Amino acid sequence: MARREQAREEAAFARGDVGVDGVATEEEKDEAEVEKGKAREQLLRGRAYLGREFMTWLLWRSESGDPLVEYDGAGVVVLYLGKVVLRGVAGDVTEMSAKGTLAPYSENVRHSLDRGLLVSQARLRISHGEREYEVTLDSEFLDIRAAKLPALMTEEEDDQLSERLELTEQLSAIVDALVQDFLVVRAGRAWSKQVVPALKAWMKGEEKGSDLLSKAARAKGRDARAARG
């Protein structure tokens, strides 16, 4: 029995469950902490799904090449380029990726979106005035995975550092502006009646999607004015 007990203690130490003094390395969480952890997990899952909706909506809106929002006095144009990753929560296919310069706008990607997948990660080119950024955006927390900043205008090393920080902050603010624009649409009355049908029509390659988009854009303007009022 003593040998078995010693073996169990050694195994617990090897797993990191106890320290060298034999005391548990982590205190057992009470019921309230466990429930709080579950709630946080559900919140993060919900946010991830909302992020996929945002990136799918942004893909659809960006295809026109028109400015999507105005930031700091200039329009923001978004173009999806390179690789795009789609993910879903159910069905036979739960993940796919497409590569190529205009692959995100391909019929294959739209068909996959129509089957229930959503954009999870993509490479974007964001044009703001004369500046162009390239960024890999992940939907889970809307994290910027990698970014290529515009060419620096300054030559001094200290000034270049300040300029990089300024450009990084501007990129983050532009992404926030795009997200905020989506949230106005998502929370508006037109989402289920006009925006979703327009999205579905675009996924199916139907021409009426552009007409529905115009109606949805007008509805978004009304929602935005209502939110400001």
Side-chain angles (χ1 to χ4, degrees), residues 110-153:
R110 292 202 308 270
H111 178 69
S112 298
L113 294 172
D114 188 41
R115 296 286 298 273
L117 300 184
L118 294 171
V119 179
S120 176
Q121 188 179 108
R123 185 74 175 173
L124 313 178
R125 178 182 294 149
I126 300 176
S127 302
H128 176 247
E130 297 181 354
R131 290 175 171 174
E132 280 193 354
Y133 302 83
E134 288 190 13
V135 55
T136 298
L137 195 62
D138 188 278
S139 68
E140 186 171 0
F141 299 104
L142 294 178
D143 288 335
I144 295 175
R145 290 292 183 89
K148 179 181 178 182
L149 300 177
L152 301 180
M153 303 296 292

Side-chain angles (χ1 to χ4, degrees), residues 12 16-28:
D17 294 341
V18 298
V20 293
D21 56 357
V23 178
T25 54
E26 292 185 6
E27 294 183 4
E28 189 173 334

Side-chain angles (χ1 to χ4, degrees), residues 94-111:
T94 57
E95 180 174 326
M96 70 156 287
S97 62
K99 297 180 181 179
T101 305
L102 294 177
Y105 301 100
S106 66
E107 182 180 350
N108 186 37
V109 167
R110 292 202 308 270
H111 178 69

